[in-house]
Amino acid sequence: MTIRTRIAPSPTGDPHVGTAYIALFNLAFARQHGGEFILRIEDTDQQRSTPESEQMILDSLRWLGLSWSEGPDVGGPHGPYRQSERKGMYREYAERLVEAGHAFICYRTAAELDQLREERKEAGLHTALKASDLELPADEVAKRQAAGAPYVIRMRVPEQGICVIEDMLRGPIELDWAQVDCQILLKSDGMPTYHLANVVDDHLMQITHVIRGEEWLPSAPKHKLLYEYFGWQMPTLCHMPLLRNPDKTKLSKRKNPTSINFYKRMGYLPEALLNYLGRMGWSMPDEREKFSLAEMIEHFDIQRVSLGGPIFDLEKLSWLNGVWLRELSPEDFAARYLQWGLNAAYLTPAIEHVQPRVSTFSDVVPLAGHLLSGLIEVQPEAFVHKKLSQDDVRRILQFAAWQLDTQRYWDKDSLFNCLSGLAKALGFKVGEFFFPLFIAIAGTSSTFSVVDAMAILGADLSRARVRHALNVMGGTSKKEAKAWEKEFKALQES
Ligand code: GLU
């Protein structure tokens, strides 16, 4: 048997370090066994999936040095590797389960579902809905069908009892069927849900080992049951511990930058970031801290993964990156530095802003050095402005930070429009509103346009700088943040 593993990202946002971490362990496991590692795009959520996000995920995994033998960009014998392109197949599988009595057509409306959950709650039962709650009498089904009402296909699940999941790292785990609902398999728009598409594709793509984040463990009983219903052999499951912030909470972008783009723009070496991810819950048999991907594969043993939540700590990552940088030869250091920051692809968009403003090359760094920096080290005094109080500054930075978090398009016009719109809505003159942003992004207001700078720096580093500036200004109190957030939401809706 050839070992086959996969990474199956959903392209709904920035390329997450957690995706790279899981991809790395899948790749190491497959390669160590002489097997194959593949990439599949799970874009069944058509509302949230974007081609830009998919491209960023592929680019950033490649930048890290991870590669796959089959995928949407490289093809392969089990394609297509993008679920939206496989859409037509899933219905047949869902219908097969309906015919066998393992799934049923459900015409319940959203209001009815709420009501049913409420009734279960009142009866002291878990709110997971069962077929006995959901199924309508035959004549009512016929009536809704005749009226062309929308429907979904749901799987049947046991009302109660224990489901035992075998996990490579955790041994047998017992999960309670009472907490598992009759999962929707096919949505009313004909798209499969994650659960159906994931099981069907893992089977058709001959995946032997599913190594994924621990957040998917509660879904495992549904998947196990689906494999049984279809009469297919289930891959071996392995749920990896989740990455955590230093305060032990689940890694989140509010506390730690989570996008791989951030680490790239900050000037981390891809091999160092990969090395650090390899140390998340895992260590080399000789405990050495610095190792390459090839060394990790050579010594890989999944049983060495420890389940205590690994902490993703920027300071430790920076230390490790420093070790990698110091071991480069001066020639390599120069080459890698040029490749990172002083390359034409990155700097060309800045030239049109820099060229009209300089008389010598030596004027460039004072004007545009912020494009080659990480966070900007500023003091509160830098934000002093005759028209703005300290509270105004904090308010502007906080609202701008939220606005940038929700910003989908990162070109200068979109950025200018959304930020100037926000300025007006908050009652600031546009020029005044942009002042604290200049300081946050460039450290000075005497440079070229801040939205141009943000477009070049990218979303992640720009957001991090605005948040950093807000912290320099003392942040926001809990009470304030709550009131402001309410105000921000109201502005967004209006
Ligand atoms: N599409 C899921 C995700 O984004 C895949 C989960 C799995 O590996 O089964 O994480």
Side-chain angles (χ1 to χ4, degrees):
M1 176 182 80
T2 308
I3 299 245
R4 284 173 60 87
T5 64
R6 54 35 169 206
I7 184 77
S10 298
T12 55
D14 293 335
H16 200 283
V17 283
T19 305
Y21 155 67
I22 298 293
L24 170 63
F25 280 78
N26 273 286
L27 179 139
F29 183 77
R31 295 276 161 82
Q32 177 222 6
H33 288 96
E36 272 149 21
F37 166 66
I38 76 163
L39 184 143
R40 175 174 78 230
I41 291 292
E42 299 207 325
D43 57 351
T44 53
D45 184 343
Q46 295 274 278
Q47 299 279 319
R48 295 174 57 229
S49 300
T50 65
E52 294 79 22
S53 168
E54 176 185 316
Q55 195 56 50
M56 282 198 290
I57 293 171
L58 299 185
D59 290 347
S60 50
L61 293 180
R62 283 215 192 286
W63 173 72
L64 281 169
L66 301 172
S67 58
W68 40 95
S69 54
E70 296 165 35
D73 53 343
V74 292
H78 305 279
Y81 293 90
R82 201 177 276 120
Q83 288 184 330
S84 56
E85 291 170 22
R86 303 168 68 81
K87 182 180 168 189
M89 293 173 8
Y90 303 110
R91 170 174 290 277
E92 180 204 322
Y93 286 98
E95 282 171 356
R96 211 192 274 183
L97 295 185
V98 174
E99 274 156 37
H102 296 314
F104 60 98
I105 291 178
C106 179
Y107 280 102
R108 291 290 192 174
T109 63
E112 284 176 325
L113 296 176
D114 286 345
Q115 166 87 27
L116 287 168
R117 280 192 203 102
E118 205 46 49
E119 283 166 16
R120 285 189 68 102
K121 214 156 136 194
E122 272 162 27
L125 298 168
H126 193 277
T127 51
L129 296 175
K130 302 292 183 177
S132 55
D133 303 301
L134 292 162
E135 279 185 301
L136 290 161
D139 55 340
E140 183 59 27
V141 171
K143 214 164 91 193
R144 294 191 188 191
Q145 188 182 11
Y151 67 90
V152 299
I153 295 181
R154 288 179 185 271
M155 67 187 288
R156 291 185 192 280
V157 298
E159 298 265 338
Q160 55 202 7
I162 293 294
C163 173
V164 180
I165 295 293
E166 282 297 331
D167 181 282
M168 261 170 115
L169 297 175
R170 295 155 201 263
I173 308 166
E174 300 194 342
L175 291 121
D176 186 357
W177 276 121
Q179 299 182 6
V180 180
D181 61 350
C182 284
Q183 175 63 50
I184 297 180
L185 300 177
L186 203 73
K187 297 183 264 190
S188 55
D189 62 1
M191 277 305 260
T193 55
Y194 152 73
H195 305 276
L196 176 66
N198 187 271
V199 165
V200 167
D201 286 349
D202 279 346
H203 173 70
L204 295 177
M205 295 180 182
Q206 296 171 9
I207 299 303
T208 58
H209 293 74
V210 167
I211 303 171
R212 62 182 170 196
E214 130 182 48
E215 74 267 35
W216 297 104
L217 194 51
S219 301
K222 297 174 192 174
H223 298 181
K224 186 177 178 201
L225 197 55
L226 284 174
Y227 282 102
E228 280 168 22
Y229 285 166
F230 284 122
W232 298 335
Q233 193 186 339
M234 183 166 75
T236 304
L237 299 184
C238 175
H239 291 91
M240 297 286 292
L242 290 184
L243 302 184
R244 300 194 176 269
N245 297 308
D247 66 6
K248 301 262 168 81
T249 54
K250 185 179 154 195
L251 192 68
S252 64
K253 71 172 176 202
R254 286 201 165 204
K255 296 195 179 154
N256 246 324
T258 54
S259 166
I260 299 169
N261 289 338
F262 172 83
Y263 295 93
K264 187 174 178 188
R265 200 59 259 144
M266 282 294 283
Y268 289 92
L269 290 173
E271 29 313 32
L273 178 54
L274 205 59
N275 180 177
Y276 189 61
L277 291 172
R279 302 200 53 229
M280 294 289 99
W282 192 81
S283 57
M284 278 290 213
D286 63 3
E287 302 286 333
R288 85 185 92 143
E289 298 190 272
K290 178 176 182 265
F291 50 84
S292 67
L293 176 59
E295 289 167 320
M296 178 169 174
I297 294 170
E298 188 187 334
H299 297 282
F300 191 68
D301 174 3
I302 194 125
Q303 295 305 333
R304 287 182 63 82
V305 170
S306 75
L307 293 175
I311 297 204
F312 190 88
D313 181 356
L314 266 178
E315 272 177 41
K316 289 233 174 76
L317 168 61
S318 298
W319 169 82
L320 187 61
N321 198 64
V323 172
W324 277 85
L325 280 181
R326 281 187 290 281
E327 288 185 12
L328 294 175
S329 68
E331 293 76 21
D332 283 345
F333 186 102
R336 299 291 298 265
Y337 182 69
L338 294 178
Q339 191 188 24
W340 167 72
L342 298 178
N343 66 72
Y346 179 57
L347 285 186
T348 303
I351 301 301
E352 62 171 301
H353 312 296
V354 171
Q355 209 171 2
R357 293 177 167 84
V358 297
S359 27
T360 59
F361 284 142
S362 53
D363 292 335
V364 174
V365 164
L367 187 72
H370 58 285
L371 298 180
L372 299 172
S373 301
L375 298 180
I376 301 290
E377 287 318 323
V378 279
Q379 301 302 318
E381 298 76 65
F383 292 91
V384 173
H385 184 281
K386 54 183 186 306
K387 292 279 172 56
L388 299 170
S389 69
Q390 283 209 12
D391 284 349
D392 289 336
V393 169
R394 286 187 310 108
R395 200 167 141 81
I396 290 170
L397 291 170
Q398 178 63 85
F399 276 77
W402 283 328
Q403 183 68 44
L404 296 177
D405 276 345
T406 59
Q407 186 62 18
R408 202 161 150 190
Y409 299 101
W410 205 264
D411 58 285
K412 71 165 202 212
D413 291 335
S414 309
L415 288 167
F416 181 77
N417 290 340
C418 80
L419 290 170
S420 55
L422 183 62
K424 280 181 209 135
L426 292 174
F428 289 104
K429 290 218 174 85
V430 173
E432 287 162 18
F433 184 88
F434 273 99
F435 174 76
L437 295 177
F438 264 101
I439 307 298
I441 295 292
T444 166
S445 58
S446 36
T447 182
F448 62 90
S449 140
V450 69
V451 287
D452 282 310
M454 287 203 288
I456 296 169
L457 287 166
D460 306 284
L461 187 52
S462 303
R463 288 178 185 137
R465 285 188 187 176
V466 173
R467 248 181 274 132
H468 180 69
L470 180 60
N471 288 340
V472 167
M473 289 304 287
T476 40
S477 70
K478 268 209 175 114
K479 204 172 135 202
E480 211 170 36
K482 225 172 150 184
W484 287 358
E485 201 158 6
K486 219 167 133 191
E487 203 182 326
F488 179 70
K489 288 210 173 111
L491 282 180
Q492 282 212 305
E493 277 154 26
S494 67

